[in-house]
Amino acid sequence: MRERRALPRTRLLRSLTPLLLCAALLTGCAWGGPPGADRPPDAVSLPKYYDPAPLLTDVTNRMRTDVGAVVSVAGTLDGPGGPTPVTGDGALRYDGSGPDAGPAVRLTLRRGPEGDGGRSTGVVRAAARTWLQPPGADWAEIGRAPLPPDAVVDATVATNVAAGADPLAAVARYPDAVLVSDAVDDQVDGEPAVHYTLLVDLGRAIEAEPDEARRDALAAQQRAGSTRLSAELWLDADQRPIRGRIRQQLPDAGTVDLLTRYRDWGEPVVVEPPVVEGS
């Protein structure tokens, strides 16, 4: 059996930049209840999309109109030491344009027990750039500044969660490769919602991807045996995303499984890059 060699720390830190560019594409999905859960018996029937083009357009336009939302996450990181709680809160702001616009995200993530026993990491993702504030350290931009050795796992988790905070991250980039596989009435926190299952043909996504780092990440998934990407999206009656889930294998960190909640769409939120000394 070949011995598995650990990545040098500098190489791992450099790898975070292309990783976060496509984090939401790596087996990401959203979730509104336990796997296999039945539709609530009193679910209200809402209008549904079966063509992905108007669905993506209308949801994107709704987020741009509302601009901001409050975000919270809760779940686990299942790594070498076993499951570790991961929680966090923050906001996203969707007012950009262009292929890499997406929402700007600000989060404070906690890994470990609540209180003094956990590790808190700040993360800001804006305009395809990501900044981190590891526990006990100053803000640093990924790819431009070194991180403390003990902050590598925190950085890996934070960058992936921030990149996956866009509810449409896994599908909106490849509209011609998307299929609406299912649309089912559901409830989220007692409110009527529609649960969409969206599939992306991996081969067509690779052909359509102009960015080399993203294309390489997609090709790696294809070589590993994947033929499609999937995303589940819960929308309210006004096409607002209200819940999602990301599940991802992270390099040298384990598997992160987080439930993401979106609320207070339309509330004024501010997401700005942090002030970094020497930048």
Side-chain angles (χ1 to χ4, degrees):
M1 179 181 295
R2 295 181 61 185
E3 181 181 359
R4 184 177 182 272
R5 299 178 59 189
L7 286 174
R9 185 181 306 122
T10 54
R11 181 182 171 189
L12 175 59
L13 292 177
R14 288 196 300 268
S15 72
L16 287 174
T17 299
L19 173 66
L20 67 90
L21 289 175
C22 56
L25 301 177
L26 306 182
T27 64
C29 68
W31 181 66
D38 293 332
R39 170 188 169 187
D42 55 348
V44 175
S45 182
L46 297 177
K48 301 172 183 64
Y49 295 89
Y50 297 96
D51 182 347
L55 184 151
L56 297 176
T57 297
D58 290 352
V59 174
T60 299
N61 289 340
R62 169 56 67 182
M63 289 193 292
R64 285 176 174 162
T65 298
D66 289 343
V67 179
V70 176
V71 178
S72 63
V73 298
T76 59
L77 174 67
D78 196 353
T84 301
V86 177
T87 57
D89 51 73
L92 65 81
R93 182 178 177 88
Y94 203 132
D95 57 357
S97 60
D100 290 314
V105 181
R106 166 175 47 82
L107 292 169
T108 299
L109 292 177
R110 293 172 293 277
R111 182 167 65 91
E114 294 285 348
D116 295 337
R119 293 172 58 84
S120 179
T121 301
V123 55
V124 172
R125 168 93 172 145
R129 298 169 66 183
T130 301
W131 294 262
L132 295 172
Q133 187 178 36
D138 295 328
W139 284 97
E141 184 175 355
I142 287 293
R144 297 193 180 187
L147 294 171
D150 62 350
V152 172
V153 172
D154 299 295
T156 303
V157 174
T159 52
N160 280 269
V161 173
D166 180 353
L168 297 179
V171 295
R173 192 172 179 88
Y174 312 106
D176 294 333
V178 179
L179 170 70
V180 177
S181 175
D182 203 4
V184 180
D185 289 310
D186 205 343
Q187 287 187 357
V188 175
D189 297 330
E191 296 297 323
V194 179
H195 166 204
Y196 289 96
T197 301
L198 306 176
L199 303 178
V200 179
D201 183 277
L202 190 54
R204 294 178 65 182
I206 292 172
E207 293 176 359
E209 179 54 67
D211 182 86
E212 183 177 358
R214 294 177 189 261
R215 189 169 57 251
D216 288 346
L218 294 172
Q221 291 292 291
Q222 189 178 54
R223 289 193 298 272
S226 298
T227 59
R228 65 189 184 187
L229 308 172
S230 65
E232 297 177 61
L233 179 65
W234 272 253
L235 302 178
D236 69 10
D238 295 313
Q239 290 76 53
R240 292 183 177 93
I242 51 179
R243 186 172 289 185
R245 185 186 186 185
I246 59 172
R247 290 180 293 182
Q248 295 168 352
Q249 289 287 140
L250 306 182
D252 294 338
T255 301
V256 65
D257 187 338
L258 293 180
L259 180 68
T260 304
R261 299 173 184 267
Y262 305 91
R263 60 180 176 83
D264 296 337
W265 282 100
E267 290 295 312
V269 300
V270 177
V271 179
E272 295 180 344
V275 176
V276 179
E277 294 184 7
S279 62

mmCIF file of all heavy atoms in Angstrom, residues 70-112:
data_model
loop_
_atom_site.group_PDB
_atom_site.id
_atom_site.type_symbol
_atom_site.label_atom_id
_atom_site.label_comp_id
_atom_site.label_asym_id
_atom_site.label_seq_id
_atom_site.Cartn_x
_atom_site.Cartn_y
_atom_site.Cartn_z
ATOM 1 N N VAL A 70 -30.263 37.909 6.404
ATOM 2 C CA VAL A 70 -29.529 37.381 7.549
ATOM 3 C C VAL A 70 -29.325 35.886 7.332
ATOM 4 O O VAL A 70 -30.234 35.192 6.869
ATOM 5 C CB VAL A 70 -30.295 37.641 8.858
ATOM 6 C CG1 VAL A 70 -29.581 37.006 10.047
ATOM 7 C CG2 VAL A 70 -30.461 39.140 9.073
ATOM 8 N N VAL A 71 -28.141 35.381 7.652
ATOM 9 C CA VAL A 71 -27.785 33.991 7.413
ATOM 10 C C VAL A 71 -27.331 33.345 8.716
ATOM 11 O O VAL A 71 -26.608 33.960 9.503
ATOM 12 C CB VAL A 71 -26.653 33.874 6.372
ATOM 13 C CG1 VAL A 71 -26.249 32.422 6.158
ATOM 14 C CG2 VAL A 71 -27.079 34.502 5.051
ATOM 15 N N SER A 72 -27.754 32.112 8.935
ATOM 16 C CA SER A 72 -27.233 31.328 10.057
ATOM 17 C C SER A 72 -26.959 29.915 9.579
ATOM 18 O O SER A 72 -27.630 29.410 8.683
ATOM 19 C CB SER A 72 -28.216 31.311 11.230
ATOM 20 O OG SER A 72 -29.430 30.682 10.869
ATOM 21 N N VAL A 73 -25.941 29.287 10.147
ATOM 22 C CA VAL A 73 -25.576 27.923 9.780
ATOM 23 C C VAL A 73 -25.402 27.089 11.037
ATOM 24 O O VAL A 73 -25.049 27.598 12.098
ATOM 25 C CB VAL A 73 -24.278 27.875 8.935
ATOM 26 C CG1 VAL A 73 -24.452 28.615 7.630
ATOM 27 C CG2 VAL A 73 -23.110 28.450 9.723
ATOM 28 N N ALA A 74 -25.659 25.795 10.922
ATOM 29 C CA ALA A 74 -25.466 24.868 12.036
ATOM 30 C C ALA A 74 -25.265 23.476 11.470
ATOM 31 O O ALA A 74 -25.964 23.067 10.540
ATOM 32 C CB ALA A 74 -26.658 24.889 12.987
ATOM 33 N N GLY A 75 -24.296 22.757 12.020
ATOM 34 C CA GLY A 75 -24.037 21.408 11.545
ATOM 35 C C GLY A 75 -22.810 20.834 12.197
ATOM 36 O O GLY A 75 -22.489 21.147 13.352
ATOM 37 N N THR A 76 -22.096 19.980 11.446
ATOM 38 C CA THR A 76 -20.938 19.294 12.002
ATOM 39 C C THR A 76 -19.803 19.223 10.988
ATOM 40 O O THR A 76 -20.017 19.272 9.776
ATOM 41 C CB THR A 76 -21.280 17.850 12.421
ATOM 42 O OG1 THR A 76 -21.757 17.130 11.284
ATOM 43 C CG2 THR A 76 -22.322 17.833 13.524
ATOM 44 N N LEU A 77 -18.591 19.103 11.507
ATOM 45 C CA LEU A 77 -17.412 18.766 10.725
ATOM 46 C C LEU A 77 -16.949 17.403 11.211
ATOM 47 O O LEU A 77 -16.528 17.252 12.362
ATOM 48 C CB LEU A 77 -16.305 19.800 10.908
ATOM 49 C CG LEU A 77 -14.969 19.463 10.229
ATOM 50 C CD1 LEU A 77 -15.116 19.481 8.715
ATOM 51 C CD2 LEU A 77 -13.876 20.426 10.680
ATOM 52 N N ASP A 78 -17.069 16.396 10.356
ATOM 53 C CA ASP A 78 -16.696 15.037 10.720
ATOM 54 C C ASP A 78 -15.291 14.781 10.210
ATOM 55 O O ASP A 78 -15.075 14.458 9.038
ATOM 56 C CB ASP A 78 -17.693 14.039 10.117
ATOM 57 C CG ASP A 78 -17.584 12.668 10.762
ATOM 58 O OD1 ASP A 78 -16.659 12.473 11.573
ATOM 59 O OD2 ASP A 78 -18.411 11.798 10.450
ATOM 60 N N GLY A 79 -14.313 14.964 11.091
ATOM 61 C CA GLY A 79 -12.920 14.830 10.710
ATOM 62 C C GLY A 79 -12.237 13.683 11.424
ATOM 63 O O GLY A 79 -12.895 12.803 11.989
ATOM 64 N N PRO A 80 -10.890 13.678 11.419
ATOM 65 C CA PRO A 80 -10.145 12.587 12.057
ATOM 66 C C PRO A 80 -10.477 12.404 13.529
ATOM 67 O O PRO A 80 -10.420 11.295 14.054
ATOM 68 C CB PRO A 80 -8.681 13.014 11.861
ATOM 69 C CG PRO A 80 -8.708 13.911 10.671
ATOM 70 C CD PRO A 80 -10.010 14.635 10.734
ATOM 71 N N GLY A 81 -10.818 13.505 14.219
ATOM 72 C CA GLY A 81 -11.134 13.420 15.639
ATOM 73 C C GLY A 81 -12.587 13.149 15.930
ATOM 74 O O GLY A 81 -13.001 13.185 17.093
ATOM 75 N N GLY A 82 -13.396 12.855 14.892
ATOM 76 C CA GLY A 82 -14.813 12.630 15.090
ATOM 77 C C GLY A 82 -15.620 13.879 14.808
ATOM 78 O O GLY A 82 -15.071 14.942 14.482
ATOM 79 N N PRO A 83 -16.940 13.819 14.952
ATOM 80 C CA PRO A 83 -17.802 14.971 14.657
ATOM 81 C C PRO A 83 -17.547 16.135 15.615
ATOM 82 O O PRO A 83 -17.423 15.945 16.822
ATOM 83 C CB PRO A 83 -19.218 14.404 14.843
ATOM 84 C CG PRO A 83 -19.068 12.918 14.743
ATOM 85 C CD PRO A 83 -17.716 12.603 15.287
ATOM 86 N N THR A 84 -17.471 17.325 15.031
ATOM 87 C CA THR A 84 -17.294 18.552 15.805
ATOM 88 C C THR A 84 -18.393 19.527 15.412
ATOM 89 O O THR A 84 -18.626 19.746 14.226
ATOM 90 C CB THR A 84 -15.929 19.202 15.503
ATOM 91 O OG1 THR A 84 -14.887 18.272 15.826
ATOM 92 C CG2 THR A 84 -15.740 20.476 16.318
ATOM 93 N N PRO A 85 -19.090 20.134 16.388
ATOM 94 C CA PRO A 85 -20.131 21.100 16.036
ATOM 95 C C PRO A 85 -19.559 22.303 15.294
ATOM 96 O O PRO A 85 -18.462 22.788 15.607
ATOM 97 C CB PRO A 85 -20.703 21.521 17.395
ATOM 98 C CG PRO A 85 -20.307 20.442 18.345
ATOM 99 C CD PRO A 85 -19.000 19.917 17.847
ATOM 100 N N VAL A 86 -20.303 22.771 14.291
ATOM 101 C CA VAL A 86 -19.971 24.000 13.571
ATOM 102 C C VAL A 86 -21.230 24.860 13.522
ATOM 103 O O VAL A 86 -22.280 24.405 13.085
ATOM 104 C CB VAL A 86 -19.492 23.716 12.134
ATOM 105 C CG1 VAL A 86 -19.220 25.033 11.387
ATOM 106 C CG2 VAL A 86 -18.234 22.856 12.145
ATOM 107 N N THR A 87 -21.126 26.083 14.006
ATOM 108 C CA THR A 87 -22.249 27.009 13.973
ATOM 109 C C THR A 87 -21.746 28.361 13.499
ATOM 110 O O THR A 87 -20.537 28.631 13.505
ATOM 111 C CB THR A 87 -22.905 27.173 15.361
ATOM 112 O OG1 THR A 87 -21.912 27.609 16.302
ATOM 113 C CG2 THR A 87 -23.507 25.863 15.841
ATOM 114 N N GLY A 88 -22.661 29.212 13.095
ATOM 115 C CA GLY A 88 -22.247 30.533 12.652
ATOM 116 C C GLY A 88 -23.418 31.410 12.295
ATOM 117 O O GLY A 88 -24.550 30.949 12.172
ATOM 118 N N ASP A 89 -23.134 32.684 12.159
ATOM 119 C CA ASP A 89 -24.161 33.639 11.764
ATOM 120 C C ASP A 89 -23.508 34.799 11.039
ATOM 121 O O ASP A 89 -22.308 35.034 11.150
ATOM 122 C CB ASP A 89 -24.939 34.145 12.982
ATOM 123 C CG ASP A 89 -24.009 34.643 14.087
ATOM 124 O OD1 ASP A 89 -23.413 35.719 13.926
ATOM 125 O OD2 ASP A 89 -23.881 33.943 15.103
ATOM 126 N N GLY A 90 -24.322 35.513 10.267
ATOM 127 C CA GLY A 90 -23.806 36.642 9.510
ATOM 128 C C GLY A 90 -24.847 37.166 8.558
ATOM 129 O O GLY A 90 -26.042 37.172 8.856
ATOM 130 N N ALA A 91 -24.408 37.583 7.369
ATOM 131 C CA ALA A 91 -25.317 38.194 6.409
ATOM 132 C C ALA A 91 -24.762 38.028 5.008
ATOM 133 O O ALA A 91 -23.565 37.772 4.815
ATOM 134 C CB ALA A 91 -25.502 39.674 6.719
ATOM 135 N N LEU A 92 -25.643 38.145 4.026
ATOM 136 C CA LEU A 92 -25.203 38.213 2.640
ATOM 137 C C LEU A 92 -25.869 39.408 1.966
ATOM 138 O O LEU A 92 -26.958 39.826 2.343
ATOM 139 C CB LEU A 92 -25.478 36.914 1.874
ATOM 140 C CG LEU A 92 -26.909 36.438 1.619
ATOM 141 C CD1 LEU A 92 -27.526 37.157 0.415
ATOM 142 C CD2 LEU A 92 -26.918 34.941 1.363
ATOM 143 N N ARG A 93 -25.192 39.931 0.979
ATOM 144 C CA ARG A 93 -25.678 41.102 0.244
ATOM 145 C C ARG A 93 -25.490 40.827 -1.235
ATOM 146 O O ARG A 93 -24.381 40.535 -1.680
ATOM 147 C CB ARG A 93 -24.933 42.363 0.667
ATOM 148 C CG ARG A 93 -25.421 43.636 -0.013
ATOM 149 C CD ARG A 93 -24.671 44.868 0.498
ATOM 150 N NE ARG A 93 -25.090 46.069 -0.208
ATOM 151 C CZ ARG A 93 -26.109 46.843 0.145
ATOM 152 N NH1 ARG A 93 -26.820 46.523 1.224
ATOM 153 N NH2 ARG A 93 -26.436 47.906 -0.549
ATOM 154 N N TYR A 94 -26.567 40.912 -2.008
ATOM 155 C CA TYR A 94 -26.531 40.565 -3.422
ATOM 156 C C TYR A 94 -26.853 41.806 -4.242
ATOM 157 O O TYR A 94 -27.996 42.085 -4.563
ATOM 158 C CB TYR A 94 -27.580 39.484 -3.712
ATOM 159 C CG TYR A 94 -27.303 38.665 -4.953
ATOM 160 C CD1 TYR A 94 -27.382 37.277 -4.918
ATOM 161 C CD2 TYR A 94 -26.967 39.264 -6.160
ATOM 162 C CE1 TYR A 94 -27.140 36.518 -6.059
ATOM 163 C CE2 TYR A 94 -26.716 38.516 -7.287
ATOM 164 C CZ TYR A 94 -26.809 37.143 -7.227
ATOM 165 O OH TYR A 94 -26.561 36.390 -8.362
ATOM 166 N N ASP A 95 -25.815 42.559 -4.596
ATOM 167 C CA ASP A 95 -26.033 43.749 -5.406
ATOM 168 C C ASP A 95 -24.945 43.940 -6.452
ATOM 169 O O ASP A 95 -24.718 45.043 -6.922
ATOM 170 C CB ASP A 95 -26.134 44.998 -4.531
ATOM 171 C CG ASP A 95 -24.899 45.212 -3.651
ATOM 172 O OD1 ASP A 95 -24.000 44.356 -3.676
ATOM 173 O OD2 ASP A 95 -24.845 46.224 -2.946
ATOM 174 N N GLY A 96 -24.272 42.850 -6.816
ATOM 175 C CA GLY A 96 -23.223 42.956 -7.813
ATOM 176 C C GLY A 96 -23.704 42.540 -9.184
ATOM 177 O O GLY A 96 -24.870 42.275 -9.411
ATOM 178 N N SER A 97 -22.776 42.506 -10.117
ATOM 179 C CA SER A 97 -23.074 42.063 -11.478
ATOM 180 C C SER A 97 -21.830 41.402 -12.039
ATOM 181 O O SER A 97 -20.737 41.534 -11.502
ATOM 182 C CB SER A 97 -23.494 43.253 -12.362
ATOM 183 O OG SER A 97 -22.463 44.207 -12.436
ATOM 184 N N GLY A 98 -21.999 40.682 -13.140
ATOM 185 C CA GLY A 98 -20.867 40.006 -13.748
ATOM 186 C C GLY A 98 -20.828 38.539 -13.356
ATOM 187 O O GLY A 98 -21.522 38.103 -12.442
ATOM 188 N N PRO A 99 -19.995 37.730 -14.026
ATOM 189 C CA PRO A 99 -19.986 36.285 -13.817
ATOM 190 C C PRO A 99 -19.550 35.866 -12.430
ATOM 191 O O PRO A 99 -19.914 34.790 -11.960
ATOM 192 C CB PRO A 99 -18.997 35.772 -14.884
ATOM 193 C CG PRO A 99 -18.129 36.954 -15.203
ATOM 194 C CD PRO A 99 -19.015 38.149 -15.065
ATOM 195 N N ASP A 100 -18.735 36.659 -11.738
ATOM 196 C CA ASP A 100 -18.256 36.295 -10.415
ATOM 197 C C ASP A 100 -18.876 37.153 -9.328
ATOM 198 O O ASP A 100 -18.368 37.230 -8.223
ATOM 199 C CB ASP A 100 -16.721 36.427 -10.340
ATOM 200 C CG ASP A 100 -16.015 35.372 -11.168
ATOM 201 O OD1 ASP A 100 -16.408 34.197 -11.070
ATOM 202 O OD2 ASP A 100 -15.088 35.721 -11.915
ATOM 203 N N ALA A 101 -19.996 37.799 -9.622
ATOM 204 C CA ALA A 101 -20.615 38.694 -8.643
ATOM 205 C C ALA A 101 -21.145 37.887 -7.464
ATOM 206 O O ALA A 101 -20.500 37.772 -6.440
ATOM 207 C CB ALA A 101 -21.727 39.500 -9.293
ATOM 208 N N GLY A 102 -22.313 37.294 -7.617
ATOM 209 C CA GLY A 102 -22.893 36.528 -6.533
ATOM 210 C C GLY A 102 -23.070 37.382 -5.295
ATOM 211 O O GLY A 102 -22.767 38.573 -5.279
ATOM 212 N N PRO A 103 -23.550 36.791 -4.216
ATOM 213 C CA PRO A 103 -23.677 37.549 -2.976
ATOM 214 C C PRO A 103 -22.317 37.762 -2.317
ATOM 215 O O PRO A 103 -21.452 36.893 -2.352
ATOM 216 C CB PRO A 103 -24.562 36.651 -2.107
ATOM 217 C CG PRO A 103 -25.151 35.642 -3.023
ATOM 218 C CD PRO A 103 -24.175 35.469 -4.133
ATOM 219 N N ALA A 104 -22.149 38.922 -1.714
ATOM 220 C CA ALA A 104 -21.042 39.127 -0.792
ATOM 221 C C ALA A 104 -21.498 38.578 0.554
ATOM 222 O O ALA A 104 -22.639 38.770 0.965
ATOM 223 C CB ALA A 104 -20.696 40.610 -0.689
ATOM 224 N N VAL A 105 -20.600 37.872 1.248
ATOM 225 C CA VAL A 105 -20.971 37.141 2.458
ATOM 226 C C VAL A 105 -20.069 37.549 3.613
ATOM 227 O O VAL A 105 -18.855 37.694 3.442
ATOM 228 C CB VAL A 105 -20.860 35.622 2.233
ATOM 229 C CG1 VAL A 105 -21.272 34.860 3.482
ATOM 230 C CG2 VAL A 105 -21.691 35.190 1.042
ATOM 231 N N ARG A 106 -20.680 37.729 4.773
ATOM 232 C CA ARG A 106 -19.931 37.967 6.011
ATOM 233 C C ARG A 106 -20.432 36.988 7.061
ATOM 234 O O ARG A 106 -21.623 36.919 7.356
ATOM 235 C CB ARG A 106 -20.156 39.409 6.492
ATOM 236 C CG ARG A 106 -19.709 39.677 7.922
ATOM 237 C CD ARG A 106 -19.853 41.141 8.301
ATOM 238 N NE ARG A 106 -21.143 41.711 7.936
ATOM 239 C CZ ARG A 106 -22.254 41.580 8.677
ATOM 240 N NH1 ARG A 106 -22.231 40.862 9.780
ATOM 241 N NH2 ARG A 106 -23.386 42.153 8.290
ATOM 242 N N LEU A 107 -19.519 36.183 7.631
ATOM 243 C CA LEU A 107 -19.895 35.175 8.613
ATOM 244 C C LEU A 107 -18.885 35.118 9.755
ATOM 245 O O LEU A 107 -17.697 35.398 9.570
ATOM 246 C CB LEU A 107 -19.957 33.787 7.972
ATOM 247 C CG LEU A 107 -21.050 33.494 6.946
ATOM 248 C CD1 LEU A 107 -20.749 32.173 6.250
ATOM 249 C CD2 LEU A 107 -22.412 33.443 7.614
ATOM 250 N N THR A 108 -19.379 34.757 10.921
ATOM 251 C CA THR A 108 -18.537 34.351 12.032
ATOM 252 C C THR A 108 -18.851 32.888 12.304
ATOM 253 O O THR A 108 -19.978 32.545 12.674
ATOM 254 C CB THR A 108 -18.802 35.185 13.288
ATOM 255 O OG1 THR A 108 -18.523 36.557 13.013
ATOM 256 C CG2 THR A 108 -17.920 34.720 14.432
ATOM 257 N N LEU A 109 -17.876 32.021 12.082
ATOM 258 C CA LEU A 109 -18.062 30.581 12.246
ATOM 259 C C LEU A 109 -17.386 30.110 13.527
ATOM 260 O O LEU A 109 -16.282 30.556 13.862
ATOM 261 C CB LEU A 109 -17.482 29.825 11.055
ATOM 262 C CG LEU A 109 -18.187 30.009 9.710
ATOM 263 C CD1 LEU A 109 -17.433 29.250 8.625
ATOM 264 C CD2 LEU A 109 -19.627 29.538 9.779
ATOM 265 N N ARG A 110 -18.050 29.191 14.218
ATOM 266 C CA ARG A 110 -17.506 28.620 15.439
ATOM 267 C C ARG A 110 -17.376 27.109 15.273
ATOM 268 O O ARG A 110 -18.345 26.434 14.923
ATOM 269 C CB ARG A 110 -18.408 28.938 16.632
ATOM 270 C CG ARG A 110 -18.439 30.419 16.966
ATOM 271 C CD ARG A 110 -19.486 30.733 18.011
ATOM 272 N NE ARG A 110 -20.840 30.526 17.497
ATOM 273 C CZ ARG A 110 -21.498 31.440 16.774
ATOM 274 N NH1 ARG A 110 -20.929 32.599 16.491
ATOM 275 N NH2 ARG A 110 -22.728 31.190 16.339
ATOM 276 N N ARG A 111 -16.177 26.605 15.528
ATOM 277 C CA ARG A 111 -15.917 25.168 15.439
ATOM 278 C C ARG A 111 -15.612 24.651 16.828
ATOM 279 O O ARG A 111 -14.660 25.093 17.470
ATOM 280 C CB ARG A 111 -14.749 24.891 14.490
ATOM 281 C CG ARG A 111 -14.450 23.407 14.302
ATOM 282 C CD ARG A 111 -13.508 23.176 13.127
ATOM 283 N NE ARG A 111 -12.189 23.747 13.334
ATOM 284 C CZ ARG A 111 -11.165 23.091 13.886
ATOM 285 N NH1 ARG A 111 -11.329 21.854 14.306
ATOM 286 N NH2 ARG A 111 -9.989 23.665 14.021
ATOM 287 N N GLY A 112 -16.440 23.727 17.314
ATOM 288 C CA GLY A 112 -16.276 23.201 18.657
ATOM 289 C C GLY A 112 -17.423 23.619 19.554
ATOM 290 O O GLY A 112 -18.416 24.186 19.096
#
